[in-house]
């Protein structure tokens, strides 16, 4: 078997004293698109942050290997320079830093892109056009006062500019209207097509997946990967929610029972939850 | 020739009028006390005033000041402004931010006076004034601005030192903004380390008048900046937007005084800067709600990034209130890059030191993006090359 581009090996992680991820194993081959799904609070975003090296989380066990290199001890900046990219669910506002200053600074960390001077200018113009964005954004402070959709487009701008080896897209589709979702979907497709890009897509929403060819689907529940399959698993989840994995939550992330924690498991009413789930599925179908 | 030096001292009584008058003669080195806030605080903080020891310098040649474009009188007398002021300010509210000693010293060293006088209801083209500091001299431009009733004026001014050198440079700005008039005033300072910079501004606004004042202080070994706005007219307003950068061992010293006398007046002071290397900065901001200014609103904020453990920052935001129907708030945000921002930027490949360098460079980029003409951009870029080793904001504008 060909060596995976990214290999997550038995990773356990915690935030402070609270364990969140439990023995995660995940392998993503070059050029593949993997989807990570799961109910709210399952730990999906945490996995993305841990792979990226966010110091908020402590990796207590396991290893993260990129192209055969163990990057577990590297910080986020080093991982970025190695070719990892995380599109933030909630991109941070940075007052005082114009977008173009920021873009210049991050490109400077990637000399392999050879994007100096006019090449940089040309590439930025191309991407802005792809994203239906005005050049006026370049003079604005990074993400300051941007709408949710604009922030996600700025994330896509960086994705297309940096051409990472692997992009983790954390809820990139959340909060987008139809037009913005369309633009973002095309940007992701362009990253795939132009760079043979590799993607780990974290999402609740299957609409964004309509534009992508998915190789593998993973389901996370309570910090465990509980299921893995091909793209057909997405259809299953779309129809039945996460109830089949012991979680009473529909595809939109709406809880249909509060009794999800292990401590409360004895009180879990499976029949009632199933009834709720069926009702939710019918309601979704009716829409 | 050496640049001026300064020391912070304990507060002392104001000079007598006779002593101040003596400053209005250009002879010998002088030590003047400037930037006193209206209300003082603990002396031990050493921020109640600042002493500037200014060397004996001849006034620069008149050609140090150039009106690059726009309708303005180069070589004006003080009289037209004095006459307009006497009419607009019978009660003598007009004051400057740096104080009387600085007024007198600047007056004695003025190289040239420029008058911008916009007739009622007019909106002429913007006026661009360039002050190119002369080596070994005091290069001072007196800038008088009268925006008469219902008129709109835009004035850009830059203090630069394209030839390098040492000395003192400065602007003495006086502005009258008449009823319903609008003034947009932009001042950019890009001096080299050999210079001390004095920027003393006094402005008085009539009813319904508005002033937008943008200051960018990027260079000079010492920058002493005093700004006073008197919002005398009802519903008059001012927005002050200040950007500053400390680098090397540079010192910045700001004093803002906003007197709100008119009803429903509005003020907003927003200062934003970065301090790198071993630079230091003091910013005093006073909003004075004077009895009778019912419905007045005032905000002030200083946001400063400390990009090195050696920098020193003091911020003194003050609200004085002698009226109960007002809203005022002040604040200061001082610190290093916050963890959330740092996390985001590190995830893009930037180390902590690179993130701090980004914030410093961004001050130049911001100034370059907003440069009002080619000379302003050239001044920003020259300074950026020296401080951060690259041009500013040019990456999308034909960088080779």
């Amino acid at each position: 078997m060909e060596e995976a581009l990214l290999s997550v090996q038995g990773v356990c992680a915690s935030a402070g004293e609270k364990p969140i991820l439990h023995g995660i194993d995940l392998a993503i081959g070059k050029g593949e698109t993997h989807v990570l799904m799961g109910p709210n609070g399952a730990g999906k975003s945490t996995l993305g942050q841990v792979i990226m090296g966010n110091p908020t989380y402590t990796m207590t066990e396991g290893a993260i290997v990129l192209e055969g290199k163990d990057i577990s001890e590297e910080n986020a900046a080093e991982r970025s320079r190695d070719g990892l990219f995380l599109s933030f669910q909630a991109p941070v506002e940075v007052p005082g830093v114009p977008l173009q200053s920021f873009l210049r600074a991050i490109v400077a960390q990637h000399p392999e892109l050879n994007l100096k001077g006019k090449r940089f200018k040309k590439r930025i113009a191309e991407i802005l056009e792809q994203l239906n964005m005005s050049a006026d954004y370049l003079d604005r402070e990074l993400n300051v006062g941007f709408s949710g959709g604009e922030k996600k487009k700025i994330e896509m701008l960086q994705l297309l500019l940096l051409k990472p080896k692997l992009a983790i897209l954390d809820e990139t589709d959340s909060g987008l209207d139809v037009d913005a979702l369309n633009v973002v979907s095309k940007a992701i497709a362009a990253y795939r097509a132009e760079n043979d890009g590799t993607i780990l897509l974290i999402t609740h929403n299957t609409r964004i997946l309509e534009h992508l060819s998915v190789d593998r689907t993973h389901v996370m529940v309570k910090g465990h990967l509980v299921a893995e399959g091909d793209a057909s698993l997405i259809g299953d989840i779309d129809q039945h929610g996460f109830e089949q994995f012991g979680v009473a939550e529909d595809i939109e992330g709406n809880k249909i029972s509060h009794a999800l924690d292990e401590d409360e498991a004895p009180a879990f009413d499976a029949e009632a939850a199933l009834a709720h789930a069926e009702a939710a599925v019918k309601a979704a179908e009716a829409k | 020739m050496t640049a001026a030096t300064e020391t912070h001292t304990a507060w002392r009584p104001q000079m007598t009028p006779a002593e101040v008058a003596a400053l209005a003669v250009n002879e010998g080195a002088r030590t003047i006390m400037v930037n006193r806030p209206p209300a003082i605080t603990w002396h031990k903080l050493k921020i109640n005033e600042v002493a500037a020891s200014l060397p004996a310098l001849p006034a620069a040649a008149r050609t140090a000041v150039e009106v690059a474009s726009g309708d303005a009188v180069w070589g004006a007398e003080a009289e037209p402004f004095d006459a307009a002021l006497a009419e607009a300010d019978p009660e003598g509210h007009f004051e400057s931010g740096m104080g009387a000693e600085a007024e007198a010293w600047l007056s004695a060293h003025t190289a040239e006076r420029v008058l911008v006088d916009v007739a009622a209801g007019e909106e002429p083209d913007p006026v661009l004034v360039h002050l190119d500091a002369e080596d070994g001299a005091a290069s001072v431009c007196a800038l008088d601005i009268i925006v008469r009733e219902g008129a709109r004026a835009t004035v850009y001014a830059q203090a630069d030192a394209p030839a390098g050198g040492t000395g003192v440079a400065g602007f003495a700005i006086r502005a009258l903004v008449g009823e319903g008039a609008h003034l947009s005033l932009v001042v950019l300072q890009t001096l080299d380390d050999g210079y001390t910079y004095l920027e003393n501004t006094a402005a008085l606004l009539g009813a319904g008048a508005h002033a937008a004042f943008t200051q960018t202080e990027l260079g000079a070994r010492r920058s002493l900046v005093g700004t006073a706005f008197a919002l005398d007219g009802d519903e008059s307003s001012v927005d002050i937007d200040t950007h500053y950068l400390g680098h090397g061992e540079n010192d910045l010293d700001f004093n803002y005084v906003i007197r709100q006398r008119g009803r429903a007046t509005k003020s907003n002071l927003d200062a934003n800067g970065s301090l790198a290397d071993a630079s230091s900065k003091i910013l005093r901001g006073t909003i004075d709600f004077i009895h009778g200014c019912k419905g007045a609103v005032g905000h002030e904020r200083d946001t400063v990034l400390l990009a090195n453990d050696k920098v020193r920052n003091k911020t003194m935001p003050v609200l004085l209130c002698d009226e109960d129907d007002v809203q005022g708030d002040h604040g200061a945000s001082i610190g290093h890059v916050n963890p959330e921002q740092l996390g985001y930027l590190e995830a893009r490949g930037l180390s902590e030191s690179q993130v701090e360098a980004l914030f410093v460079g961004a001050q130049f980029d911001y100034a370059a993006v907003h440069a009002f003409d080619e000379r302003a951009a050239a001044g920003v870029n020259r300074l950026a090359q020296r401080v951060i080793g690259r041009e500013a904001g040019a990456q999308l504008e034909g960088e080779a």
Side-chain angles (χ1 to χ4, degrees):
Chain A
M1 180 184 170
E2 194 173 324
E3 185 179 60
L5 175 70
L6 177 76
S7 177
V8 177
Q9 301 168 358
V11 164
C12 300
S14 61
E17 298 296 313
K18 184 181 179 186
I20 298 179
L21 301 179
H22 309 280
I24 303 296
D25 288 303
L26 184 67
I28 304 177
K30 181 171 171 52
E32 293 181 350
T33 295
H34 288 226
V35 176
L36 177 60
M37 306 186 80
N40 284 330
K44 306 184 298 297
S45 293
T46 299
L47 178 59
Q49 294 284 348
V50 167
I51 294 172
M52 195 67 231
N54 184 337
T56 304
Y57 302 97
T58 305
M59 201 173 88
T60 52
E61 283 183 47
I64 297 171
V65 178
L66 181 69
E67 285 190 313
K69 175 187 175 187
D70 188 340
I71 60 170
S72 307
E73 298 300 320
E74 290 188 350
N75 62 34
E78 292 166 330
R79 294 183 196 199
S80 170
R81 292 194 287 266
D82 280 343
L84 282 183
F85 179 89
L86 172 65
S87 171
F88 280 58
Q89 187 175 350
V92 178
E93 296 190 359
V94 187
V97 176
L99 174 60
Q100 59 173 304
S101 303
F102 167 69
L103 295 176
R104 179 212 281 270
I106 63 175
V107 162
Q109 306 310 310
H110 295 272
E112 75 280 3
L113 295 172
N114 195 22
L115 281 178
K116 284 186 178 175
K118 289 178 180 174
R119 283 189 296 274
F120 179 80
K121 177 183 176 185
K122 183 169 179 282
R123 183 62 187 139
I124 290 287
E126 287 170 354
I127 299 172
L128 287 172
E129 190 176 350
Q130 267 181 291
L131 297 170
N132 289 339
M133 296 182 79
S134 155
D136 293 344
Y137 281 95
L138 297 168
D139 293 340
R140 292 177 59 181
E141 294 168 292
L142 177 57
N143 289 329
V144 176
F146 287 14
S147 69
E150 288 170 330
K151 287 179 179 176
K152 296 299 174 69
K153 284 185 178 181
I154 297 300
E155 295 293 284
M156 292 301 98
L157 191 165
Q158 296 170 60
L159 171 69
L160 294 173
L161 185 64
L162 295 179
K163 300 179 183 176
K165 292 170 185 168
L166 185 139
I168 303 163
L169 308 180
D170 187 5
E171 305 271 4
T172 297
D173 49 348
S174 68
L176 300 183
D177 61 26
V178 174
D179 291 337
L181 182 62
N182 195 31
V183 170
V184 165
S185 298
K186 285 181 178 174
I188 296 171
Y191 163 68
R192 287 269 290 125
E194 294 168 12
N195 312 293
D196 193 19
T198 306
I199 293 173
L200 174 59
L201 182 68
I202 299 169
T203 186
H204 280 292
N205 190 343
T206 53
R207 273 209 342 239
I208 196 170
L209 303 174
E210 292 169 7
H211 301 271
L212 284 173
S213 170
V214 174
D215 296 294
R216 299 297 292 169
T217 305
H218 310 267
V219 179
M220 178 175 278
V221 175
K222 296 178 189 169
H224 298 269
L225 284 181
V226 297
E228 182 180 343
D230 58 20
S232 64
L233 184 53
I234 298 167
D236 279 356
I237 295 170
D238 210 8
Q239 283 203 342
H240 306 298
F242 298 107
E243 192 274 336
Q244 59 188 303
F245 308 110
V247 177
E249 187 167 310
D250 66 19
I251 191 65
E252 300 292 334
N254 302 310
K255 284 186 180 180
I256 47 183
S257 167
H258 72 281
L260 299 175
D261 293 331
E262 285 173 340
D263 293 345
E264 300 177 49
F268 182 60
D269 184 343
E271 285 187 10
L274 185 57
H276 281 298
E278 287 172 350
V281 169
K282 283 179 183 171
E285 286 173 349
K287 283 182 189 173
Chain B
M1 186 68 61
T2 57
T5 57
E6 67 80 30
T7 53
H8 298 291
T9 67
W11 189 83
R12 67 169 197 188
Q14 297 272 3
M15 277 185 180
T16 65
E19 288 172 323
V20 173
L23 287 171
V25 178
N26 181 4
E27 56 180 32
R30 303 282 194 179
T31 296
I32 61 174
M33 307 303 290
V34 302
N35 283 354
R36 297 171 194 241
I40 61 173
T41 183
W42 300 102
H43 294 312
K44 64 185 178 184
L45 295 175
K46 298 179 180 175
I47 59 175
N48 284 330
E49 62 184 355
V50 64
S53 297
L54 302 166
L57 293 171
R62 297 179 65 198
T63 50
V65 177
E66 181 188 350
V67 179
S69 66
D71 187 10
V73 178
W74 181 82
E77 299 295 326
E79 192 280 331
F81 188 93
D82 292 342
L85 177 61
E87 187 178 335
D89 184 33
E91 297 178 24
H93 293 158
F94 198 69
E95 63 181 319
S96 72
M98 292 184 75
E101 295 176 33
E103 290 171 33
W105 193 92
L106 289 165
S107 173
H109 293 81
T110 294
E112 189 53 282
R113 180 178 300 276
V114 172
L115 171 65
V116 178
D117 189 350
V118 181
E122 296 291 312
E123 185 176 358
D125 290 338
V127 173
L128 272 71
V129 178
H130 288 283
L131 170 66
D132 283 351
E134 189 178 299
D135 186 17
S139 308
V140 176
C141 172
L143 180 55
D144 289 345
I145 303 168
I146 307 170
V147 193
R148 300 185 188 269
E149 184 177 338
R152 297 178 71 86
T154 300
V155 180
Y156 298 106
Q158 180 192 17
D160 195 13
T166 62
V168 178
F171 281 109
I173 301 170
R174 304 190 296 173
L176 287 176
V177 189
E179 190 174 323
H182 184 284
L183 170 64
S184 175
L185 175 61
V186 179
V187 179
L188 168 67
Q189 183 266 107
T190 53
L191 294 163
D192 283 357
D193 274 355
Y195 287 90
T196 290
Y197 176 63
L198 309 178
E199 181 185 314
N200 192 25
T201 301
L204 183 112
L205 276 64
H210 177 68
F213 187 20
T214 303
Q215 296 170 296
T216 305
E217 313 293 349
L218 296 177
R221 174 65 181 79
R222 295 216 68 233
S223 294
L224 302 168
V225 178
T227 305
F229 274 83
L231 305 184
D232 275 25
D234 291 349
E235 298 183 8
S236 57
S237 58
V238 61
D239 289 303
I240 302 172
D241 186 14
T242 298
H243 297 263
Y244 58 84
L245 173 64
H247 49 86
E249 295 184 344
N250 293 357
D251 292 320
L252 299 120
D253 194 285
F254 296 93
N255 185 45
Y256 294 91
V257 181
I258 302 170
R259 309 272 194 191
Q260 298 192 220
R261 293 186 178 84
R263 291 169 177 255
T265 50
K266 291 181 181 173
S267 68
N268 187 50
L269 164 59
D270 190 3
N272 194 307
S274 300
L275 297 179
D277 305 323
S279 59
S280 62
K281 184 219 81 184
I282 295 173
L283 188 147
R284 310 162 194 82
T286 303
I287 296 176
D288 187 4
F289 294 111
I290 294 170
H291 186 70
C293 70
K294 287 189 180 299
V297 177
H299 307 285
E300 60 172 309
R301 170 160 287 278
D302 180 23
T303 303
V304 54
L305 173 80
L306 310 179
N308 193 303
D309 290 337
K310 295 178 184 170
V311 304
R312 289 167 294 151
N313 178 74
K314 293 176 183 174
T315 301
M316 176 185 167
V318 175
L319 296 177
L320 303 175
C321 192
D322 190 23
E323 175 59 60
D324 52 10
D325 180 19
V326 297
Q327 294 176 46
D329 65 64
H330 60 66
S333 175
I334 302 163
H336 295 265
V337 184
N338 77 45
E340 196 182 23
Q341 292 170 336
L342 190 60
Y344 182 78
L345 297 168
E346 285 183 337
R348 295 296 179 260
L350 302 175
S351 66
E352 190 167 350
S353 63
Q354 286 169 328
V355 168
E356 291 182 338
L358 170 66
F359 275 82
V360 172
Q363 292 291 341
F364 284 111
D365 292 336
Y366 184 91
V369 165
H370 294 87
F372 41 80
D373 71 354
E374 289 183 3
R375 286 172 67 175
V380 172
N381 279 325
R382 190 195 70 254
L383 204 55
Q385 284 282 15
R386 186 169 62 73
V387 177
I388 58 174
R390 66 164 173 85
E391 288 201 350
Q395 63 271 31
L396 301 180
E397 306 297 336
E399 184 183 19

